[in-house]
Amino acid sequence: MTAVLQIEIAYALPNIQILRKITVPLGCTVEQALAISEILQKFPEIDLAKNKLGIFGKFVQLDTQLHSNDRIEIYRPLIIDPKEIRRMRAKSSVHSDNR
């Protein structure tokens, strides 16, 4: 009997969140698990050359070997820099307070 791992794949869009549990063979990499999950076919906008990947919030590479109960997270590219958002909110707050 071949040893297997239980893992999860997480991907979130503004209007939908996917959390898929799959079984992969022992020694499986992030890239192999993504292929097994078929998530790339369901969401063709995912580009492994551009989208960052992580396991529980820590960035990983495609060749990272998985462990039991790992959760692969597929991150979307940022539309706007978080620092810029904070500046915009602060500026808006200042203008609101001066009324």
Side-chain angles (χ1 to χ4, degrees):
M1 182 172 167
T2 305
V4 295
L5 305 171
Q6 297 290 321
I7 65 153
E8 295 180 330
I9 309 236
Y11 181 59
L13 295 168
N15 58 343
I16 186 172
Q17 292 79 39
I18 304 298
L19 186 59
R20 184 173 291 167
K21 293 182 181 193
I22 64 170
T23 301
V24 297
L26 189 64
C28 187
T29 65
V30 168
E31 185 172 26
Q32 292 166 333
L34 292 173
I36 291 167
S37 75
E38 298 182 351
I39 197 161
L40 302 177
Q41 288 79 12
K42 183 167 177 134
F43 298 97
E45 70 273 11
I46 298 172
D47 180 350
L48 296 180
K50 293 181 183 177
N51 291 79
K52 293 190 183 288
L53 303 168
I55 295 179
F56 294 116
K58 182 179 176 192
F59 289 124
V60 296
Q61 301 298 314
L62 289 170
D63 62 353
T64 301
Q65 263 195 352
L66 296 170
H67 300 91
S68 186
N69 299 314
D70 276 351
R71 181 182 64 223
I72 300 170
E73 299 159 343
I74 304 167
Y75 306 119
R76 291 179 291 130
L78 294 176
I79 296 172
I80 187 167
D81 180 15
K83 290 179 187 177
E84 184 60 29
I85 291 173
R86 285 192 291 277
R87 274 190 224 109
M88 290 168 42
R89 284 187 188 145
K91 192 178 211 181
S92 174
S93 176
V94 169
H95 289 293
S96 297
D97 293 342
N98 291 335
R99 289 184 186 174

